[in-house]
Amino acid sequence: MADEFPPPGPPHPAPMADGGEPPPPWADLPIHIVRGIASRLLCKIDRRFGEGVCRSWREAFLQVGPPPLPLPLLVVANAGEHAFHCVPSNWRTHPIPIPMPRFAHHRYFGSYDGGWLFLSISQSSRHGLHNINKNVNSKHFRFSLPDQRLYQIRPTTAEADKFIVIVAATLSCQPTEPGCVAAGIIDLHSFPDHPRYIAFWKIGDKSIPAMNQEPEVVEDLLYSGHGAGAFLFLTNGEHIREFPQPIFPPPGTAKRVRNELYFKPRGDDGGGGRPVLARYLVESRDELLMVVRLGTRKSCTAGPRRGRSQSPPPPPPPTPTSAFQVFQREDQKVKSINDIDGVIRVEHSWIKLADLGGRMLFVGRGCSRS
């Protein structure tokens, strides 16, 4: 039995003669116990606190190596305080060290890898990109985002500004890297209930460049790094709008045209007529997934409108979430029978997954992760 337990550590020293504090008793723990503690701390913030206990603990933690790849952090704002729930730390909360105005009403509209948070200080204005790993010695941990977009009233008039609200956003790379492009789903400030727009801008731009496009009903977006890279937007019809790089081509070169990926109707797929509350795009194992969030109330068809001037019925109140369904993109090459040249086209479909295959999905507009 004596070989199964380490020898006792040295006795705790008596108080120092000069009145100073003696070292804490845990500073003399055997190194293999400290290494065992470090191996069970999967959160990097918990690791940081453990390394700061004393010098012997710091040396033992360095021998263990870095923690495994972290799970996403779930940010929660509560009564003006900002914290995130840490899954590896048994869902405990850690404070977010972001300086905010005292009486501001913040709104989060996305996140990006590396601790970046998209938020607006005043709900519909003062959009910004903040990093929770803020370093006071660096100025690259906060970026202002546009609050306006440029537009033309007439082709002959100069461009003017119009206030916008960013609903969701994502990036092509880290914002500190050169050539970073941001993409977003935006609302017009004066017409928040109108269809939304797809927008692109560069980090550091004060306003969003003029967009010669019609409003679209888009629900989510992500940046896919496959090939040259492309921004993907999911519509409420479950089709994909693909915008390949470069979004802002060099002067004198042609701008890439967006691709329209139309998907076959998937039917009810076991939804039981329940309304769709939201749709999300997720990349997982080199595949594109669509997560559908269903409500509880069965959908109903509105009656015919009697007159053109009659206003549409108000939308039903939101219902609680009842289920999630996950679909995977499938592309199939099809040869048209009537095509004498034998041209092969591609059909896109959403195939329902029976299970996640051991994966865990975190969904949110512009920031879903697998």
Side-chain angles (χ1 to χ4, degrees):
M1 294 292 292
D3 296 336
E4 297 182 12
F5 297 93
H12 183 59
M16 301 176 64
D18 56 2
E21 290 291 333
W26 51 81
D28 299 324
L29 282 177
I31 191 170
H32 75 279
I33 294 181
V34 181
R35 286 200 299 262
I37 295 173
S39 64
R40 287 166 172 78
L41 296 179
L42 305 182
C43 170
K44 66 178 183 179
I45 296 181
D46 291 338
R47 284 279 188 102
R48 193 179 306 160
F49 282 122
E51 292 176 0
V53 169
C54 60
R55 181 178 300 176
S56 61
W57 277 50
R58 182 162 51 253
E59 294 173 354
F61 272 58
L62 292 176
Q63 296 177 16
V64 174
L69 292 176
L71 292 172
L73 307 175
L74 305 182
V75 179
V76 176
N78 182 19
E81 298 179 357
H82 297 75
F84 61 82
H85 288 278
C86 182
V87 179
S89 189
N90 197 24
W91 296 98
R92 289 186 301 172
T93 57
H94 298 299
I96 300 178
I98 299 179
M100 299 290 182
R102 184 176 178 183
F103 298 106
H105 300 282
H106 320 307
R107 175 179 61 89
Y108 292 98
F109 55 92
S111 63
Y112 192 75
D113 292 342
W116 295 98
L117 298 177
F118 291 96
L119 58 91
S120 60
I121 301 299
S122 302
Q123 289 288 327
S124 59
S125 62
R126 298 177 66 186
H127 301 90
L129 183 61
H130 301 255
N131 197 291
I132 62 175
N133 303 315
K134 179 178 173 60
N135 186 342
V136 295
N137 297 322
S138 175
K139 63 179 181 180
H140 298 298
F141 281 78
R142 180 181 177 182
F143 296 92
S144 295
L145 301 180
D147 287 330
Q148 300 171 321
R149 72 160 179 142
L150 300 177
Y151 77 106
Q152 288 183 329
I153 303 177
R154 297 184 182 88
T156 57
T157 60
E159 292 179 336
D161 290 331
K162 196 174 189 68
F163 288 100
I164 54 99
V165 176
I166 304 178
V167 178
T170 190
L171 304 172
S172 62
C173 59
Q174 290 291 319
T176 53
E177 297 181 12
C180 176
V181 176
I185 301 172
I186 67 171
D187 274 339
L188 299 184
H189 193 281
S190 53
F191 302 99
D193 297 327
H194 282 206
R196 293 163 177 171
Y197 289 85
I198 293 173
F200 302 97
W201 66 93
K202 299 177 183 178
I203 294 297
D205 287 350
K206 301 298 182 183
S207 58
I208 294 176
M211 303 169 295
N212 297 321
Q213 60 172 331
E214 296 296 324
E216 303 188 50
V217 185
V218 286
E219 295 204 20
D220 196 18
L221 76 162
L222 64 75
Y223 183 78
S224 175
H226 295 292
F231 288 100
L232 307 181
F233 290 82
L234 177 66
T235 71
N236 68 334
E238 300 182 356
H239 307 299
I240 299 291
R241 304 286 186 263
E242 182 183 50
F243 293 81
Q245 288 275 41
I247 300 298
F248 298 102
T253 60
K255 184 177 181 180
R256 289 200 178 187
V257 181
R258 77 179 190 182
N259 300 321
E260 307 285 345
L261 306 181
Y262 293 102
F263 286 72
K264 297 168 58 177
R266 59 178 178 83
D268 183 69
D269 286 312
R274 290 172 292 183
V276 174
L277 302 183
R279 299 175 177 89
Y280 308 93
L281 287 178
V282 192
E283 277 195 326
S284 175
R285 301 174 182 173
D286 295 327
E287 300 287 350
L288 183 64
L289 306 180
M290 178 181 66
V291 179
V292 177
R293 181 162 63 94
L294 299 175
T296 56
R297 185 181 296 108
K298 291 186 177 181
S299 61
C300 57
T301 304
R305 295 173 61 182
R306 297 182 179 180
R308 292 186 178 181
S309 60
Q310 183 179 355
S311 60
T319 66
T321 299
S322 62
F324 288 88
Q325 293 181 340
V326 183
F327 302 86
Q328 182 172 300
R329 170 182 170 178
E330 183 178 273
D331 301 332
Q332 184 179 5
K333 294 182 178 180
V334 179
K335 184 177 180 180
S336 176
I337 301 177
N338 300 326
D339 197 334
I340 23 179
D341 295 329
V343 176
I344 295 179
R345 58 189 177 89
V346 178
E347 283 189 350
H348 308 287
S349 305
W350 292 114
I351 305 301
K352 186 178 179 181
L353 299 182
D355 56 67
L356 297 181
R359 289 172 288 194
M360 182 184 297
L361 301 182
F362 294 79
V363 292
R365 279 183 178 152
C367 55
S368 299
R369 295 292 182 269
S370 170

